[in-house]
Coordinates of all heavy atoms in Angstrom, one line a residue:
T85 N 262.5 6.7 16.5 CA 262.6 5.8 15.4 C 261.7 4.6 15.5 O 261.6 4.0 16.6 CB 264.0 5.3 15.2 OG1 264.9 6.4 15.1 CG2 264.2 4.4 14.0
Q86 N 260.9 4.3 14.5 CA 260.0 3.2 14.5 C 260.4 2.3 13.3 O 260.6 2.8 12.2 CB 258.5 3.6 14.3 CG 258.0 4.2 15.6 CD 256.5 4.6 15.4 OE1 255.9 4.5 14.3 NE2 255.9 5.0 16.5
A87 N 260.4 1.0 13.5 CA 260.8 0.1 12.4 C 259.7 -0.9 12.2 O 259.2 -1.5 13.2 CB 262.1 -0.6 12.6
S88 N 259.2 -1.2 11.0 CA 258.2 -2.2 10.8 C 258.8 -3.6 10.8 O 260.0 -3.8 10.8 CB 257.5 -1.9 9.4 OG 258.4 -2.3 8.4
E89 N 257.9 -4.6 10.8 CA 258.4 -5.9 10.6 C 258.9 -6.1 9.1 O 258.6 -5.3 8.2 CB 257.3 -6.9 10.8 CG 256.7 -6.9 12.2 CD 257.7 -7.4 13.3 OE1 258.6 -8.3 12.9 OE2 257.7 -6.9 14.4
I90 N 259.8 -7.1 8.9 CA 260.3 -7.4 7.6 C 259.1 -7.9 6.8 O 258.4 -8.8 7.2 CB 261.5 -8.3 7.6 CG1 262.7 -7.6 8.3 CG2 261.8 -8.8 6.2 CD1 263.8 -8.5 8.5
M91 N 258.9 -7.4 5.6 CA 257.9 -7.8 4.7 C 258.4 -8.6 3.5 O 259.4 -8.1 2.9 CB 257.0 -6.6 4.2 CG 256.2 -6.0 5.3 SD 255.4 -4.5 4.8 CE 256.8 -3.3 4.9
R92 N 257.9 -9.8 3.2 CA 258.3 -10.6 2.2 C 257.2 -10.9 1.2 O 256.1 -11.2 1.6 CB 258.9 -12.0 2.7 CG 260.0 -11.8 3.7 CD 260.3 -13.2 4.3 NE 261.4 -13.2 5.3 CZ 261.3 -12.9 6.5 NH1 260.1 -12.6 7.0 NH2 262.4 -12.9 7.3
T93 N 257.5 -10.8 -0.1 CA 256.5 -11.2 -1.1 C 257.3 -11.9 -2.2 O 258.5 -11.9 -2.3 CB 255.8 -9.9 -1.7 OG1 256.8 -9.0 -2.3 CG2 255.0 -9.2 -0.7
L94 N 256.5 -12.6 -3.1 CA 257.0 -13.3 -4.2 C 256.6 -12.7 -5.5 O 255.4 -12.4 -5.7 CB 256.6 -14.8 -4.2 CG 257.2 -15.6 -3.0 CD1 256.6 -17.0 -3.0 CD2 258.7 -15.7 -3.2
D95 N 257.5 -12.4 -6.4 CA 257.2 -11.8 -7.7 C 257.3 -12.8 -8.8 O 258.4 -13.3 -9.1 CB 258.1 -10.6 -7.9 CG 257.8 -9.9 -9.3 OD1 256.8 -10.2 -9.9 OD2 258.6 -9.1 -9.7
Y96 N 256.2 -13.2 -9.3 CA 256.2 -14.2 -10.4 C 256.2 -13.6 -11.8 O 256.5 -14.3 -12.8 CB 254.9 -15.1 -10.3 CG 254.9 -16.0 -9.1 CD1 254.4 -15.6 -7.9 CD2 255.4 -17.3 -9.2 CE1 254.3 -16.4 -6.8 CE2 255.4 -18.1 -8.1 CZ 254.8 -17.7 -6.9 OH 254.8 -18.5 -5.8
S97 N 256.0 -12.3 -11.9 CA 255.9 -11.6 -13.2 C 257.3 -11.5 -13.9 O 257.3 -11.4 -15.1 CB 255.3 -10.2 -13.0 OG 256.2 -9.4 -12.2
S98 N 258.4 -11.6 -13.1 CA 259.7 -11.4 -13.8 C 260.3 -12.7 -14.3 O 261.4 -12.7 -14.8 CB 260.6 -10.7 -12.8 OG 260.8 -11.6 -11.6
R99 N 259.6 -13.8 -14.2 CA 260.1 -15.1 -14.6 C 260.2 -15.1 -16.1 O 259.2 -14.7 -16.8 CB 259.3 -16.2 -14.1 CG 259.3 -16.4 -12.6 CD 258.5 -17.6 -12.2 NE 257.1 -17.5 -12.6 CZ 256.2 -18.5 -12.5 NH1 256.6 -19.7 -11.9 NH2 255.0 -18.4 -12.9
E100 N 261.3 -15.6 -16.7 CA 261.4 -15.8 -18.1 C 260.7 -17.1 -18.6 O 260.2 -17.1 -19.7 CB 262.9 -15.9 -18.5 CG 263.6 -14.5 -18.2 CD 265.1 -14.6 -18.7 OE1 265.5 -15.7 -19.2 OE2 265.8 -13.6 -18.5
K101 N 260.7 -18.1 -17.7 CA 260.0 -19.3 -18.0 C 258.9 -19.6 -17.0 O 259.1 -19.2 -15.8 CB 261.0 -20.5 -18.1 CG 262.0 -20.3 -19.2 CD 263.0 -21.5 -19.2 CE 264.0 -21.4 -20.3 NZ 264.9 -22.5 -20.4
R102 N 257.9 -20.4 -17.3 CA 256.8 -20.6 -16.4 C 257.3 -21.4 -15.2 O 256.8 -21.2 -14.1 CB 255.7 -21.4 -17.2 CG 254.5 -21.8 -16.3 CD 253.5 -22.5 -17.1 NE 252.9 -21.7 -18.1 CZ 251.8 -21.0 -17.9 NH1 251.2 -21.0 -16.7 NH2 251.3 -20.2 -18.9
D103 N 258.2 -22.4 -15.4 CA 258.6 -23.2 -14.3 C 259.8 -22.6 -13.6 O 260.4 -23.3 -12.7 CB 259.0 -24.6 -14.8 CG 260.1 -24.6 -15.9 OD1 260.4 -23.4 -16.4 OD2 260.6 -25.6 -16.3
A104 N 260.2 -21.4 -13.9 CA 261.3 -20.7 -13.2 C 260.9 -20.3 -11.8 O 259.7 -20.0 -11.6 CB 261.8 -19.6 -14.0
P105 N 261.8 -20.3 -10.8 CA 261.5 -19.9 -9.5 C 261.1 -18.4 -9.5 O 261.6 -17.6 -10.3 CB 262.7 -20.2 -8.7 CG 263.8 -20.1 -9.7 CD 263.2 -20.6 -10.9
P106 N 260.2 -18.0 -8.5 CA 259.9 -16.5 -8.4 C 261.0 -15.7 -7.8 O 262.0 -16.3 -7.3 CB 258.7 -16.6 -7.5 CG 258.9 -17.8 -6.6 CD 259.6 -18.8 -7.5
T107 N 260.9 -14.4 -7.9 CA 261.8 -13.5 -7.3 C 261.3 -13.1 -5.9 O 260.2 -12.7 -5.7 CB 262.0 -12.2 -8.2 OG1 262.5 -12.6 -9.5 CG2 263.0 -11.3 -7.5
Y108 N 262.2 -13.1 -4.9 CA 261.9 -12.7 -3.6 C 262.0 -11.2 -3.5 O 263.1 -10.6 -3.9 CB 262.8 -13.4 -2.6 CG 262.6 -14.9 -2.4 CD1 263.3 -15.8 -3.2 CD2 261.6 -15.4 -1.6 CE1 263.1 -17.2 -3.1 CE2 261.4 -16.8 -1.5 CZ 262.1 -17.6 -2.3 OH 261.9 -19.0 -2.2

Side-chain angles (χ1 to χ4, degrees):
T85 304
Q86 291 181 351
S88 71
E89 297 294 329
I90 293 174
M91 291 173 282
R92 303 174 176 86
T93 58
L94 293 174
D95 180 10
Y96 291 88
S97 63
S98 60
R99 295 184 301 174
E100 295 182 0
K101 297 181 180 180
R102 181 181 292 271
D103 58 348
T107 299
Y108 292 92

